[in-house]
Amino acid sequence: MKQLIITALAALCIVAGAQAQTNDMDNQAPTLTQTWDKTFSLSEKVRHEKVTFKTQYGFTLAADLYIPKGLENENHSASPVNHTSLPAIAVCGPFGAVKEQCSGLYAMTMAERGFIAIAFDPSFTGESTGEPRRTASPDINTEDFMAAVDYLSMREDVDANRIGIIGICGWGGIALNAAAIDPRIKATAVMTMYDMSRVNGNGYFDADDNEEARSAARRTLAAERTKAARTGHTTAGGGVVDPLPADAPQFVKDYYDYYKTPRGYHERSGNSNDGWHTFGCQAFANTRFLYYINEIRSAVLIVHGAEAHSRYFGEDAYRYMLTGKSEGYDAVRLPNPVPENKELLLIPGASHCDLYDGGKDKVIPWEKLESFFLQNMK
């Protein structure tokens, strides 16, 4: 059982045991795919196009843009009919996934509800640039969100004073970090969040929050870096476990049900395939990047499944954001100066992955998301 949990962690940038050689993607820049290759159908209520934008680190991020039909000029996406500027939302996540999966579903659905929305691939991932592939970084990925805000704020059809973000799974924590840094973000929705810095440094439920465990992990990462330096190749840490063992924990089964079936499988998704390379998330293990979320003045909605294994990340982040102290946070800081626009919403009966696409019971609270953004991006 413990080995299965370790394998699950590998899909989320925790070091695993067995590894396989990466493919040639390590040395190739991704290109934009123009055919519809999402895990969901295109809504008749929106118009879709592929766009790109730059980050301050020089990476080019690929995104899917969704615009409500009837509120745009079909001949020029940046010149809306009647010069109407719309509120906008940037979406990313889960950690290791691509925009063709649930982030695209979120962006498209919010566009159906009157927002201009983009779902983007982060640096090193999917169709975005960055080498080596399947790498993550606390600062670069936070910049990815802010670069998405840059892009949206420059569009003539977007009201630059009404921009929000949605972060899913590991990108929920990154979204909170971006909101704590960038006051242009007027509202942030965090769905089924992970704090990737906490889970990489402490393990699930802080079970490895001790010097001995971290020291062993550091030695493993150091050995992997030496091997990569000598061979010129990184090794993959493994995506979602496949085949699925009968005694797998329920959350591992949930990941399999999304990433390894037609429900959510995508060929460019690290979680669907070979995962991150073994030290691709090394910086997260020595980082705690949510310690200033108690100073977020803009609106934040944290949504979690009541039955999700990851629920504690959202609850602890919410408490710390309000009070400046919580389990999992060594720092003790002052209470939030604007607590009245912060909210935690637990979805009864929902698991972690149910908030990826709604699950069989369609539990994503779309009406709540719409009203949250409209009320807080006035």
Side-chain angles (χ1 to χ4, degrees):
M1 181 67 71
K2 184 175 181 180
Q3 183 59 43
L4 287 175
I5 294 176
I6 293 174
T7 303
L9 290 170
L12 292 157
C13 286
I14 309 299
V15 178
Q19 299 149 357
Q21 290 294 327
T22 57
N23 58 30
D24 290 338
M25 280 297 290
D26 276 4
N27 298 309
Q28 295 179 358
T31 57
L32 296 181
T33 301
Q34 296 302 327
T35 57
W36 184 263
D37 61 347
K38 322 302 182 195
T39 60
F40 51 91
S41 299
L42 178 61
S43 169
E44 296 181 354
K45 298 178 182 179
V46 305
R47 184 168 63 81
H48 163 264
E49 65 179 89
K50 302 293 277 283
V51 298
T52 61
F53 53 91
K54 290 277 192 180
T55 75
Q56 71 165 351
Y57 292 103
F59 301 123
T60 299
L61 302 191
D64 286 305
L65 172 69
Y66 298 92
I67 300 177
K69 282 186 177 179
L71 298 177
E72 38 47 289
N73 184 333
E74 295 286 351
N75 296 319
H76 196 307
S77 61
S79 298
V81 176
N82 298 325
H83 304 287
T84 301
S85 295
L86 300 177
I89 298 172
V91 190
C92 196
F95 204 75
V98 288
K99 63 189 182 304
E100 287 74 21
Q101 296 169 308
C102 63
S103 63
L105 174 65
Y106 271 77
M108 185 183 73
T109 306
M110 297 310 291
E112 287 181 322
R113 294 172 177 268
F115 300 85
I116 289 178
I118 58 170
F120 65 89
D121 285 333
S123 299
F124 312 108
T125 303
E127 294 183 316
S128 293
T129 65
E131 297 289 341
R133 308 304 292 167
R134 308 285 169 79
T135 298
S137 162
D139 54 345
I140 291 175
N141 291 149
T142 302
E143 159 65 16
D144 289 342
F145 252 135
M146 294 190 290
V149 174
D150 293 343
Y151 167 77
L152 289 172
S153 68
M154 295 298 292
R155 291 184 61 90
E156 294 180 13
D157 51 0
V158 168
D159 183 343
N161 293 313
R162 302 174 69 196
I163 297 176
I165 61 175
I166 297 175
I168 306 164
C169 189
W171 276 82
I174 295 169
L176 285 179
N177 198 45
I181 294 172
D182 193 340
R184 297 176 304 169
I185 299 170
K186 295 302 189 293
T188 301
V190 174
M191 312 300 295
T192 196
M193 75 164 278
Y194 267 64
D195 177 349
M196 294 307 300
S197 61
R198 180 177 175 183
V199 74
N200 272 275
N202 296 354
Y204 275 122
F205 306 106
D206 301 318
D208 295 323
D209 186 14
N210 60 80
E211 185 278 335
E212 183 177 356
R214 280 188 285 269
S215 181
R218 289 164 186 154
R219 289 193 297 271
T220 299
L221 291 175
E224 285 298 317
R225 292 188 70 104
T226 298
K227 182 168 67 173
R230 288 174 175 170
T231 64
H233 298 284
T234 58
T235 54
V240 172
V241 61
D242 187 17
L244 181 69
D247 61 346
Q250 185 58 48
F251 77 94
V252 176
K253 295 178 180 178
D254 292 341
Y255 281 133
Y256 182 94
D257 187 54
Y258 181 78
Y259 286 110
K260 292 297 186 178
T261 71
R263 173 184 169 193
Y265 176 83
H266 197 276
E267 62 181 0
R268 289 192 294 275
S269 168
N271 293 340
S272 294
N273 297 285
D274 55 356
W276 302 82
H277 77 76
T278 49
F279 55 90
C281 304
Q282 187 173 21
F284 277 96
N286 203 40
T287 300
R288 297 295 178 271
F289 65 177
L290 299 185
Y291 278 1
Y292 291 103
I293 62 174
N294 66 303
E295 297 180 357
I296 297 176
R297 291 176 175 264
S298 59
V300 176
L301 172 64
I302 296 178
V303 182
H304 237 108
E307 304 304 318
H309 69 284
S310 53
R311 172 177 167 176
Y312 73 102
F313 290 122
E315 291 182 315
D316 289 350
Y318 176 72
R319 282 191 289 266
Y320 183 81
M321 182 171 56
L322 285 187
T323 68
K325 56 184 177 181
S326 183
E327 289 291 324
Y329 294 79
D330 294 334
V332 176
R333 302 182 59 79
L334 295 175
N336 197 290
V338 189
E340 60 270 18
N341 61 4
K342 311 298 188 294
E343 184 176 355
L344 172 67
L345 175 63
L346 297 178
I347 307 298
S351 70
H352 180 85
C353 293
D354 284 340
L355 290 177
Y356 284 7
D357 61 354
K360 65 179 183 301
D361 295 322
K362 307 302 180 185
V363 298
I364 297 175
W366 296 116
E367 289 77 15
K368 175 64 177 180
L369 287 172
E370 178 183 356
S371 63
F372 167 76
F373 282 109
L374 289 177
Q375 291 170 9
N376 291 289
M377 297 199 302
K378 296 179 179 177

